[in-house]
Each structure stands twice: as C-alpha cells, then as structure tokens.
C-alpha cells in the first residue's frame, strides 16, 4: 500500500522539518510513503528547508510557487504529482499528529469509505482549549455545509482529509485558499463518495505561534459553500472534459 501525503507550506520554517520527518516516521510502517511538499511562496526560509528535505529523502518531492497563492492552490499543484493508493492532506504546522494515520486510513483499507475526515470534535483525544469563537464559526460552517451536502460531518474544516487515490486525482479543484475545504466537501458529496469520520488529536496554535486563518476566511467559506450548492460546475475531470456544468 502506497500513501501520498500532501503538505502545503507557507512560512512554516520553525516546524517544516520536524513535520516532514514525523510524517516519514509515522505508522503504518509497512506503507510506502510519498511526501509532496508545496512551498506556497514562503519568505522565511521554508523553501530552502523543502529543497534540503527533498535532497535528503528520496520519498520527498518539493514543489514551489513563486508567490503565495493559498492552500487550495498548493493542493491543486500537488494533485497530479501524487501516485498513492491513498492521498492524505497534512499541514506543516504540527497541529495534527501523524500518529493518527492508521485510524484515518482504516475505513478505506476496509473498503467502507472512499473519503475519511479526521474530526477534532468527536472522540476523547487531546484537544487544546483555544479560540471559542473559532469553534463556533467552525460549527456554523460545518452545519451549513452539512445542510447543502446532506452529509453529517462534525468538522468540515479539518485539515485531515484522506482519499482513495484515484478518487482524489479525479476531482476538479478550483479554490485557491481555504475555500478548498468546503469545495472538496461539496464535490465529494455530489460524486456520491462514501465519507467517514474518525476522531483525531489536535494541538492548536495561537496567532503568535503562526496560525493564519482569519474571520475573512470564514466569510469566504460561506460564499464557497453556497456557490458549490447552487452552481457546482464540473466535479470530476471526466465532467470537465465533456464541458458539463
């Protein structure tokens, strides 16, 4: 079994190397791993670290944006480079623990799921007590997304999204920024893919630590949810090639 891990990176110099090394060392240890780091126009030396990691580890591919384009753009850049049976999204900030990988991939390996979301709001794992208003906003966005997709998720905005590889590579990604989260959720639902949630541990950062998402991203997420509810556009590459709306 081969896993492709996509790691978008923007100004994560303090954590990028540790994050990459923890991904490579994470279970399951019998899985072959491919780590695709996409430096999204960093200005703090993260790009140099990504280059060094790619030279040191043959499992790592480093890709680069000349300017900051956003998380969705980074994932879109990595998408055609992945070749794993399973594709997983992993941030470079160590808020999410790669030790969760076995639980995240199990529903796919057991052929129960095509997509797995790692929820911060179910289960009994450690969860740093931060940003109550963020939590309310997340729950509102998840509820709105659930209403429009008819999925019953507890954490639509989670970083940990895991896909059957062929399904992930078929999905058209348009959003450049954090709109990736509601867009991919809407398309997964419309494609009829089997979606599961599993609990994950969460070690949240403060803004002083480098957290980047803001209330403006929340506003943008509302518009993205409504857009892909009312005007879904092409869902998969076959639709795009046929010119379907």
């Amino acid at each position: 079994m081969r896993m492709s891990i996509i790691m978008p990176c923007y100004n994560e110099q303090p954590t990028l190397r540790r994050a990459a090394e923890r991904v490579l060392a994470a279970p399951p240890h019998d899985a072959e791993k491919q780590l695709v780091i996409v430096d999204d126009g960093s200005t703090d030396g993260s790009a140099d670290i990504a280059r060094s990691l790619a030279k040191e580890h043959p499992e790592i591919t480093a890709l680069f944006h000349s300017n900051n384009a956003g998380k969705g753009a980074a994932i879109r850049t990595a998408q055609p480079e992945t070749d794993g049976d399973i594709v997983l999204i992993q941030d470079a900030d160590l808020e999410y623990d790669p030790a969760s990988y076995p639980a995240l991939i199990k529903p796919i390996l057991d052929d129960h799921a095509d997509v797995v979301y790692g929820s911060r709001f179910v289960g009994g794992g450690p969860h740093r007590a931060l940003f109550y208003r963020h939590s309310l906003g997340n729950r509102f966005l998840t509820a709105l997304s659930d209403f429009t997709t008819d999925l019953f998720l507890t954490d639509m905005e989670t970083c940990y999204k895991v896909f059957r590889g062929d399904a992930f590579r078929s999905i058209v990604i348009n959003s450049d920024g954090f709109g990736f989260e509601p867009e991919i959720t809407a398309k997964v639902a419309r494609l009829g893919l089997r979606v599961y949630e599993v609990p994950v541990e969460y070690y949240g950062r403060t803004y002083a630590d480098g957290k980047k998402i803001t209330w403006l991203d929340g506003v943008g997420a509302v518009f993205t949810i409504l857009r892909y509810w009312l005007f879904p556009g092409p869902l998969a590459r076959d639709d795009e090639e046929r010119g379907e709306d």
Side-chain angles (χ1 to χ4, degrees):
M1 189 266 295
R2 182 167 169 83
M3 291 177 62
S4 295
I5 299 99
I6 297 175
M7 183 178 286
C9 173
Y10 176 62
N11 287 349
E12 299 292 359
Q13 185 271 336
T15 58
L16 175 57
R17 176 171 288 276
R18 281 186 293 143
E21 291 175 347
R22 285 178 65 177
V23 165
L24 296 182
H29 300 297
D30 59 347
E32 186 179 350
K33 295 191 182 77
Q34 172 199 30
L35 174 57
V36 183
I37 300 172
V38 182
D39 182 80
D40 189 28
S42 294
T43 58
D44 69 343
S46 294
D48 293 333
I49 294 172
R51 289 188 185 92
S52 295
L53 286 165
K55 290 178 181 177
E56 296 165 19
H57 300 279
E59 309 97 318
I60 295 178
T61 299
L63 306 173
F64 303 91
H65 290 170
S66 57
N67 298 296
N68 179 238
K71 180 176 182 178
I75 293 170
R76 187 169 60 246
T77 293
Q79 187 181 30
E81 303 298 322
T82 65
D83 58 13
D85 306 297
I86 290 175
V87 176
L88 183 149
I89 312 298
Q90 169 77 56
D91 285 348
D93 55 17
L94 291 177
E95 287 191 330
Y96 294 81
D97 189 349
S100 299
Y101 289 178
L104 288 164
I105 66 176
K106 187 176 188 299
I108 297 177
L109 294 179
D110 291 345
D111 197 27
H112 295 310
D114 304 302
V115 182
V116 178
Y117 282 38
S119 175
R120 296 164 286 181
F121 304 125
V122 294
H127 181 116
R128 187 174 180 185
L130 278 176
F131 302 126
Y132 175 68
R133 284 170 292 181
H134 278 204
S135 175
L136 289 180
N138 192 333
R139 291 172 193 268
F140 168 74
L141 293 174
T142 297
L144 182 61
S145 174
D146 286 353
F147 176 79
T148 62
T149 62
D150 205 27
L151 295 174
F152 184 32
L153 296 169
T154 64
D155 193 4
M156 179 272 294
E157 291 281 354
T158 180
C159 157
Y160 270 162
K161 293 179 170 66
V162 189
F163 305 83
R164 214 181 64 239
D166 57 343
F168 173 74
R169 286 183 286 272
S170 75
I171 298 174
V172 175
I173 300 171
N174 295 313
S175 297
D176 287 338
F178 290 108
F180 164 79
E181 316 290 2
E183 178 192 352
I184 202 75
T185 304
K187 291 183 174 180
V188 159
R190 282 189 176 267
L191 287 166
L193 299 178
R194 299 169 297 171
V195 183
Y196 272 57
E197 276 191 317
V198 300
V200 295
E201 299 175 1
Y202 178 65
Y203 303 91
R205 298 191 300 176
T206 66
Y207 285 99
D209 295 328
K211 193 171 187 69
K212 298 176 178 66
I213 197 165
T214 70
W215 67 270
L216 288 174
D217 295 303
V219 173
V222 171
F223 284 101
T224 301
I225 291 168
L226 297 177
R227 172 189 171 184
Y228 287 103
W229 180 36
L230 300 172
F231 309 103
L235 304 176
R237 302 208 176 278
D238 289 346
D239 298 338
E240 194 174 48
E241 289 166 5
R242 289 194 299 266
E244 292 185 8
D245 295 331

